[in-house]
Amino acid sequence: MYLDAFSDNSFETNCWLIGADGTDDAVVVDPGFSPERVRALLAAAGRTPVAVLATHGHFDHIGAAAEMCGDDLPLYIHEADVLALSDPEAWGAGYEAPPVPVKDVRTVVDGDVLAFAGFRIEVMHTPGHTPGSVCYRTDGWVLSGDLVFAGAIGRSDFPNSDPAAMRLSLRRFLTLPDELPVLPGHGPRTTVGRERLRNPFLVGL
Ligand SMILES: [Zn+2]
């Protein structure tokens, strides 16, 4: 499997680049602010981007979405966060940001299955941090966005956050198998089992 990640902003947001063996395709997850860097990394790996996935609508995750997608690539984002692309203030981000005119936006909902870059990717709607936060999971990894980090969890004190929904989403995360690698929206990789054991925010859920 091809897997690379980098962080290009002060929020230390991870941009994940992933592709299965047996294909030259790759998916780009949460393109922060450096589409040229994404393209350079993919070119060096001999990979062609086929889709861009957003775990949620916060600007540090979708800042480069329009530039990254250009005319050709679709951006996938949950329907409850799609307003973040055009009107983040109305969406409830609590800030004003320039609209990101992504040309080809495709909304997802819980249970959708995306087939890209040799993967079967299932959409898990895990609201709380934002209304449309999702995890993307395969049999080999889960992209947890800003739901779970190594030793921490995402904030649920934004204007459009929902702490009660966050708790339910964290419980759902804990139904995933222990050995599953977790690729979070910020910070280092971890596993479901490690977080189950060591993450103080998951104790007692
Ligand atoms: Zn966020």
Side-chain angles (χ1 to χ4, degrees), residues 56 58 61 129 146:
H56 63 290
H58 279 152
H61 295 257
H129 178 70
D146 284 5

Side-chain angles (χ1 to χ4, degrees), residues 94-109:
Y95 54 77
E96 215 176 320
V100 184
V102 180
K103 289 192 175 149
D104 184 357
V105 179
R106 306 187 190 184
T107 55
V108 296
V109 295

Side-chain angles (χ1 to χ4, degrees), residues 14-33:
N14 290 324
C15 172
W16 293 99
L17 312 174
I18 315 177
D21 292 333
T23 171
D24 292 333
D25 294 345
V27 292
V28 178
V29 184
D30 289 347
F33 302 107

Side-chain angles (χ1 to χ4, degrees), residues 40-63:
L41 287 169
L42 290 175
R47 295 275 175 168
T48 305
V50 293
V52 180
L53 309 182
T55 59
H56 63 290
H58 279 152
F59 198 60
D60 56 316
H61 295 257
I62 59 166

